[in-house]
Amino acid sequence: MSTPLLQTKLYIPPSQPNLISRPRLIKHLEDGLNHKLTLISAPAGFGKTTLLSEWIHECRRPAAWISLNQGDNNPARFLKFFITALQKNVDDISEGIISALLTSQPEETDKLLTGLLNEIAEMIQPFIIVLDDYHVITETIIQEMLTFIVENQPPQMHLVISGRADPPWPLARLRVRGELMEIRTHDLRFTEDEAATFLNIVMGLKLSPQEISSLEDLTEGWIAGLQMAALSMRGRKDVSRFIRSFSGSHRFILDYLVEEVLDQQSSTIQEFLLKTSILDRLSGPLCDAVTCSEDSQSTLTHLEQANLFLISLDDERCWYRYHHLFADLLRVRLEQAQLERMPILHRRASMWFEQNNLIAEAVSHALEGNDYERVVNLLAGNALAMIYHGELRTLVSWLERLPEEALSPPLWLNIAHAWTLAYAGKFDTIESLLRKTEKALVGFDEHREGFILSEVENQRIVGHIAIIRTYTAALRGDNSCAVDLAFEALKHLPADDLMVRGYIMTLLGAVLRSSGDLVGATEASSKAIAISQTAGDHHLSAVVLCDLAALHYTLGQLHKSAATCKEAEQISDKYAAQSGRLLPVIGYAYTRLSAVLREWNDLE
């Protein structure tokens, strides 16, 4: 099963209606194009994203945008978003470099990034890439990758980092070299004139210069604070008294204003806000699933029009998010008032994401809802797929969050853990884990504490154990053992477990090819293609086609090899149209095709 990227994270946020133009800051950003890096660093609520969106829409340079969140704190996932964002604006990057980066090991990354930067250096048109909410990234490998890019980036590329904290990069050295443009909290604060325009023209209040000055001083130009103050003042008769009482720390002010804003909404809107606060991103269908309603899209439209801290993520107004701090406070209120309902809401969200093939999000919500049985069920169906599609670190982080006592017996948890060990190359500890699982199967009482393990599920687990042993035997070069284990796995796997059966046939083909049995390898690969196409698994289809192209090449069937590479390319194009990203494995098809063209003396 593939794991598509959420495309709204790559959309440049649309310009906000009734926007307060900030030419002084736009000029700073324009001046920043003469430097390597622009850094926008300030606490939440200071208009960083809004400013960047305004500038990008006015700027003449093409721009790529990534809205980051906690789930992107994973090198493989981060690189997928980074490459996909580049491809939307840079057409000249070779597919070989892209595929190699997406499948590289950490020690290979610098070398491959060098190739990427060299290709960018040959471009004519300069471009911008924006990483918004970068403060959520704490993974050392990602920091090292971005530091390498900044230190070596060509003049055609300008990087913009926006977040609540400085990245752990050598900023002092960049300052000394004149390679850094910075916009910080004091730059982003509303001036008194900007505050007056916002409060009286945009929000429709009739405040005196003294009242505006008082609010501006109290909030220190904090845009979110001014917005919530304005919402609270709507309809009030004694505005001056409200302003005089408007004091205290930011957190106190924000808590007070949220209470004031929420209390002015209908009970229906308040209920919607609380229930949907568990979501990082909102759409009509997703909110319908979480709230068990049918009119969420109209509610979202109402919230946007009412300026209730809802930010549109696309031009079609399909996806939104709450202002981060507003969402945090809604969640606190939900925990205080309806703590027992949160697991139910997370489960509904998890089910929606699973139905829409977004497994990472489905598992995250199951974990947040402490629904460990659901997590294990998701892992049972998707652990191999997640690893196969470059989500090994994500899977490991899920396993680390699960308590040992969460489920009894944790058989599928053992299988998922064994897969992570296999792909991480930790073969020494795999066998003991597999034997532990086999022992649990033999001694398993199907009536134990309400758990029921059917014979089909029992055989499926046995099949997975055989597949893992096949994989490790193949990597150790014990081809004879690997072939026997592959057939053992096929004997136990259910006929409808197409993804896994397709994987084992692919592995069998590779083992037979390595053993010199090219006929058997071709037969196994052909079966794997048929299975993967029936299952709709584009990734596996492309993998097997690349293997088959290599077999044709070895047999001297160059025309067949080229045609098979083209077929893999077509599958990758189809997948890209559905998910918005290329299949990493397509790099192998281009490599094989280049070998065929070299044989034909088509060197260009």
Side-chain angles (χ1 to χ4, degrees):
M1 181 181 290
S2 61
T3 54
L5 298 178
L6 195 60
Q7 292 299 301
T8 54
K9 290 161 61 66
L10 302 175
Y11 293 164
I12 299 172
S15 297
Q16 299 296 313
N18 301 318
L19 183 70
I20 304 298
S21 181
R22 313 191 77 184
R24 59 188 176 87
L25 296 180
I26 296 297
K27 185 178 186 303
H28 281 321
L29 291 169
E30 287 294 327
D31 292 340
L33 293 175
N34 297 318
H35 306 267
K36 276 189 174 183
L37 172 68
T38 293
L39 173 64
I40 304 179
S41 182
F46 276 91
K48 300 181 293 293
T49 300
T50 301
L51 172 65
L52 275 175
S53 173
E54 177 189 3
W55 173 56
I56 292 297
H57 282 292
E58 293 180 4
C59 188
R60 295 180 180 179
R61 290 193 185 185
W65 184 292
I66 308 175
S67 296
L68 298 166
N69 59 28
Q70 294 287 352
D72 304 321
N73 207 29
N74 169 311
R77 183 184 292 256
F78 181 89
L79 263 181
K80 289 176 186 178
F81 276 114
F82 191 86
I83 292 296
T84 304
L86 277 179
Q87 286 178 300
K88 287 180 175 293
N89 295 277
V90 184
D91 298 327
D92 300 322
I93 300 176
S94 72
E95 300 295 345
I97 289 287
I98 292 170
S99 298
L101 269 172
L102 293 179
T103 56
S104 66
Q105 297 299 313
E107 61 270 18
E108 304 171 325
T109 304
D110 281 4
K111 178 180 177 181
L112 294 170
L113 286 174
T114 299
L116 175 66
L117 294 175
N118 286 341
E119 294 203 5
I120 292 174
E122 295 177 3
M123 294 170 49
I124 298 175
Q125 186 176 22
F127 68 97
I128 301 165
I129 183 162
V130 177
L131 303 181
D132 196 25
D133 286 338
Y134 189 79
H135 60 271
V136 301
I137 301 299
T138 57
E139 171 62 50
T140 301
I141 294 176
I142 299 177
Q143 303 289 6
E144 291 173 351
M145 287 191 300
L146 266 296
T147 300
F148 182 88
I149 289 174
V150 171
E151 292 277 15
N152 300 282
Q153 72 186 52
Q156 289 89 338
M157 176 179 173
H158 183 74
L159 182 63
V160 179
I161 298 294
S162 176
R164 300 178 189 176
D166 288 357
W169 302 353
L171 298 179
R173 185 162 69 239
L174 293 172
R175 287 191 196 99
V176 171
R177 293 176 181 172
E179 297 174 339
L180 175 65
M181 169 63 75
E182 298 174 82
I183 296 178
R184 297 194 170 272
T185 303
H186 63 275
D187 302 307
L188 290 164
R189 288 172 178 149
F190 264 180
T191 64
E192 199 164 308
D193 288 341
E194 289 170 337
T197 301
F198 174 74
L199 292 168
N200 283 346
I201 296 178
V202 174
M203 302 304 293
L205 302 172
K206 298 179 180 179
L207 303 181
S208 68
Q210 292 77 16
E211 290 168 335
I212 291 170
S213 180
S214 295
L215 272 178
E216 205 276 334
D217 288 341
L218 288 167
T219 61
E220 299 181 68
W222 183 40
I223 299 170
L226 284 168
Q227 184 179 22
M228 286 184 279
L231 288 169
S232 295
M233 285 186 288
R234 281 179 173 175
R236 286 183 178 271
K237 294 181 180 180
D238 193 352
V239 172
S240 296
R241 182 179 177 183
F242 170 81
I243 294 174
R244 286 194 301 270
S245 65
F246 189 75
S247 61
S249 68
H250 280 176
R251 182 69 185 184
F252 175 80
I253 293 170
L254 191 56
D255 285 342
Y256 173 76
L257 287 175
V258 168
E259 292 291 330
E260 288 289 308
V261 172
L262 288 177
D263 285 347
Q264 294 180 30
Q265 308 305 313
S266 68
S267 59
T268 302
I269 292 296
Q270 288 190 44
E271 189 75 2
F272 180 89
L273 290 170
L274 292 178
K275 286 181 177 178
T276 57
S277 67
I278 67 164
L279 303 169
D280 289 331
R281 279 169 170 71
L282 306 93
S283 70
L286 173 56
C287 291
D288 282 344
V290 171
T291 62
C292 294
S293 62
E294 298 179 353
D295 59 349
S296 295
Q297 188 60 52
S298 62
T299 303
L300 290 170
T301 301
H302 165 75
L303 293 177
E304 183 183 24
Q305 293 173 345
N307 290 323
L308 274 174
F309 311 111
L310 192 70
I311 299 170
S312 176
L313 296 174
D314 54 44
D315 293 331
E316 291 75 28
R317 298 298 198 266
C318 293
W319 284 91
Y320 301 84
R321 70 167 175 83
Y322 291 125
H323 182 282
H324 295 310
L325 219 48
F326 186 62
D328 290 343
L329 289 164
L330 288 173
R331 290 177 192 129
V332 168
R333 181 158 173 158
L334 179 64
E335 290 175 359
Q336 293 172 343
Q338 306 176 32
L339 181 62
E340 72 284 352
R341 296 181 63 185
M342 292 185 68
I344 299 173
L345 299 175
H346 280 294
R347 181 177 178 82
R348 292 173 185 170
S350 178
M351 293 176 65
W352 187 90
F353 280 115
E354 181 188 9
Q355 291 165 2
N356 286 271
N357 200 22
L358 293 165
I359 302 303
E361 288 81 0
V363 174
S364 294
H365 278 285
L367 283 170
E368 289 298 326
N370 298 323
D371 191 349
Y372 302 123
E373 182 176 1
R374 178 169 175 75
V375 172
V376 173
N377 289 335
L378 285 167
L379 292 180
N382 299 288
L384 176 58
M386 293 296 294
I387 297 172
Y388 207 40
H389 292 272
E391 297 282 0
L392 175 60
R393 283 176 175 267
T394 302
L395 182 57
V396 170
S397 70
W398 293 344
L399 294 174
E400 289 175 346
R401 290 184 61 182
L402 286 172
E404 292 184 2
E405 67 278 8
L407 285 176
S408 177
L411 299 182
W412 275 115
L413 199 61
N414 288 352
I415 294 298
H417 189 195
W419 272 121
T420 65
L421 293 173
Y423 268 77
K426 299 179 180 178
F427 301 137
D428 294 338
T429 55
I430 293 174
E431 188 58 32
S432 62
L433 182 59
L434 295 180
R435 287 176 180 172
K436 176 183 176 182
T437 307
E438 287 176 322
K439 183 178 179 180
L441 278 175
V442 171
F444 182 71
D445 179 1
E446 67 177 12
H447 301 295
R448 179 181 170 189
E449 297 184 11
F451 286 92
I452 298 176
L453 191 67
S454 68
E455 180 60 27
V456 171
E457 200 69 2
N458 187 307
Q459 290 298 304
R460 191 176 175 216
I461 292 175
V462 172
H464 270 262
I465 292 172
I467 297 171
I468 295 169
R469 285 176 171 153
T470 303
Y471 178 80
T472 57
L475 288 185
R476 286 181 169 135
D478 191 348
N479 290 337
S480 176
C481 179
V483 170
D484 291 341
L485 286 167
F487 283 111
E488 177 72 13
L490 289 170
K491 183 174 71 175
H492 291 285
L493 286 171
D496 60 354
D497 201 342
L498 296 177
M499 187 270 173
V500 182
R501 292 182 73 87
Y503 174 82
I504 196 64
M505 291 305 300
T506 304
L507 189 56
L508 180 59
V511 171
L512 292 173
R513 179 188 170 201
S514 178
S515 302
D517 185 358
L518 300 186
V519 174
T522 302
E523 181 181 350
S525 295
S526 298
K527 289 181 179 178
I529 291 172
I531 293 171
S532 62
Q533 290 177 344
T534 301
D537 190 335
H538 299 301
H539 187 280
L540 187 60
S541 295
V543 168
V544 184
L545 285 168
C546 290
D547 288 346
L548 198 56
L551 280 170
H552 289 317
Y553 181 86
T554 302
L555 292 168
Q557 301 167 343
L558 300 187
H559 288 282
K560 280 189 176 181
S561 182
T564 305
C565 289
K566 292 292 185 182
E567 189 176 349
E569 184 180 18
Q570 291 171 0
I571 288 176
S572 181
D573 290 342
K574 183 178 179 181
Y575 178 77
Q578 293 175 353
S579 67
R581 66 184 178 95
L582 293 171
L583 289 167
V585 73
I586 199 62
Y588 294 114
Y590 289 123
T591 301
R592 182 54 53 204
L593 184 58
S594 70
V596 172
L597 294 171
R598 183 186 61 199
E599 291 292 335
W600 288 340
N601 202 33
D602 188 355
L603 302 183
E604 183 179 350

